[in-house]
Amino acid sequence: MPVNTEAVGRAYGPHEPYEVTRVKIREFADAVDAYSFAHRSEEAARAEGYADVVAPTTFAVVIAQQAEFHVVTDPEVGVDFSRVVHADERFTHHRPIVAGDLITTTVHVDAISQRGGISMVTTRTELVDADGAPVSTVRSTLAVREEA
């Protein structure tokens, strides 16, 4: 069964804030081989002008995927996650993510197209800080294979 195209335009959130910690940043930096000392050392980060340890630019995906979970688990949308392949991920950063940030997310279903037995589901997740100021926008596209 194809993904429900009527889900386009839906928004999920805002969701409970995600607390960015130094440990989470360091673990992510290790996982993606980001070697800057600013990802590990408060002193190095401050020397580079950051308020605290700074996250690698792709760290935003950790937060965005938690929000996207609400879309892929909504039975009305109809995504069978066992048939999903990640097709695309794009970031627009408004400012760096640093330890101590509380990031709230809202995810939007921007597009669903279908062709050749595959539904392409594009979401846009807006990340904002505790003051409501934009931090990052994450656009993600999932390819969802239909049953044969």
Side-chain angles (χ1 to χ4, degrees), residues 23-34 56 58-62:
V23 169
K24 290 176 185 176
I25 290 172
R26 287 181 193 124
E27 289 173 347
F28 186 83
D30 288 342
V32 298
D33 291 332
T58 54
F59 183 84
V61 75
V62 172

Side-chain angles (χ1 to χ4, degrees), residues 68-112:
E68 293 164 5
F69 177 77
H70 296 278
V71 175
V72 299
T73 59
D74 182 345
E76 291 183 17
V77 178
V79 172
D80 178 349
F81 200 71
S82 71
R83 298 179 169 281
V84 168
V85 175
H86 201 149
D88 190 38
E89 195 87 52
R90 296 173 190 252
F91 302 89
T92 302
H93 297 294
H94 308 289
R95 71 155 177 86
I97 295 173
V98 296
D101 278 339
L102 287 174
I103 307 291
T104 301
T105 56
T106 301
V107 61
H108 305 267
V109 180
D110 281 352
I112 299 174

Side-chain angles (χ1 to χ4, degrees), residues 4-44:
N4 180 6
T5 57
E6 292 181 14
V8 173
R10 289 186 187 176
Y12 299 77
H15 300 289
E16 183 176 325
Y18 178 97
E19 182 179 355
V20 179
T21 67
R22 293 178 187 143
V23 169
K24 290 176 185 176
I25 290 172
R26 287 181 193 124
E27 289 173 347
F28 186 83
D30 288 342
V32 298
D33 291 332
Y35 296 112
S36 171
F37 287 114
H39 302 316
R40 292 168 176 75
S41 162
E42 186 179 346
E43 293 156 359

